[in-house]
Amino acid sequence: MTAKPPPPESPKQPGWGPVSRHVATNVLRFRTDRGLSTTRLSAALKELGHSIPATGITRIEKGERRVDTDDLVALALALNVSPAALLLPATEDSETPVQLTEQVELPARKAWEWVDGDEPHAPTDRDRYGQVLRFRLDSRPEWDRDPVRKMYNAVLRESSDRNVLAGQSGKFSLEDGQLVWYSDDGREVRRLTPGSST
């Protein structure tokens, strides 16, 4: 007698991370909210050039089939939502905990700020070296950066400024379209306006 293979994992079983569970739940939610059958969603995906059969969609929703990044983008297009809307759970309150990994849980508001590229998932109490602004810069393409962000990049590129920043801590602030660097004791160290690099 041969041993029976174990049943396939579902999002509720070990091996599936929390985001996989969110995606499975959200695909089902958006599909039913839009009154789409799995067959119609499958047809919409095919029109977009990314085929997932109706049975595959059912398996996604049941947690029997993982969603890769290409699937995620195609499903978001077909359901007319952003990829982020599939990645994060629908919560009724901004402080509801959202599991991102087995070790990282954030309030819903913070999770959305992170996914939208507004805030790092774990900013420090003291914004050393402008970590928040650096996160925002790295989370957006070059063409989508306003003059203050471009100026910040220019400052970081200059070795003298990098050396100063490496030796001192402080906080960056955006004030009236200017990037202002304050020392830990609150003194203004430097104020830069768009178009300047020093």
Side-chain angles (χ1 to χ4, degrees):
M1 186 168 150
T2 59
K4 233 178 158 180
E9 290 184 338
S10 74
K12 296 174 180 68
Q13 295 176 329
W16 283 73
V19 176
S20 294
R21 295 189 292 270
H22 303 329
V23 171
T25 301
N26 286 328
V27 169
L28 174 62
R29 177 171 61 91
F30 284 118
R31 181 181 64 75
T32 55
D33 284 353
R34 283 150 176 70
L36 293 172
S37 65
T38 55
T39 303
R40 284 183 57 205
L41 179 55
S42 177
L45 288 164
K46 188 172 184 176
E47 285 180 23
L48 293 168
H50 189 84
S51 292
I52 300 176
T55 55
I57 294 167
T58 300
R59 291 183 65 225
I60 288 169
E61 293 173 352
K62 289 182 175 181
E64 297 170 355
R65 179 188 185 279
R66 286 186 183 268
V67 172
D68 66 23
T69 51
D70 293 321
D71 293 338
L72 181 79
V73 169
L75 286 162
L77 289 168
L79 294 167
N80 197 28
V81 295
S82 73
L86 296 178
L87 293 171
L88 296 178
T91 60
E92 293 190 18
D93 184 272
S94 66
E95 296 305 311
T96 300
V98 171
Q99 200 77 35
L100 298 176
T101 70
E102 297 304 332
Q103 300 297 322
V104 178
E105 181 179 276
L106 297 175
R109 178 181 51 80
K110 289 285 192 187
W112 278 98
E113 288 173 349
W114 172 71
V115 166
D116 287 341
D118 292 331
E119 297 286 332
H121 78 281
T124 58
D125 290 337
R126 187 177 68 203
D127 187 19
R128 190 175 173 98
Y129 312 135
Q131 291 168 336
V132 171
L133 188 54
R134 180 82 258 164
F135 173 81
R136 290 177 184 167
L137 284 168
D138 292 341
S139 297
R140 303 297 306 162
E142 181 68 35
W143 54 262
D144 189 36
R145 295 178 180 171
D146 63 36
V148 174
R149 291 179 178 187
K150 288 180 180 178
M151 174 185 56
Y152 181 79
N153 267 350
V155 169
L156 289 181
R157 283 188 203 109
E158 294 198 15
S159 62
S160 61
D161 287 319
R162 281 198 312 268
N163 291 339
V164 170
L165 291 174
Q168 299 182 20
S169 62
K171 179 179 179 181
F172 282 103
S173 175
L174 294 175
E175 299 173 8
D176 299 321
Q178 295 181 318
L179 180 67
V180 184
W181 175 29
Y182 291 100
S183 64
D184 287 334
D185 62 6
R187 288 181 301 109
E188 184 178 308
V189 176
R190 178 179 268 176
R191 181 176 293 263
L192 298 166
T193 56
S196 72
S197 61
T198 58

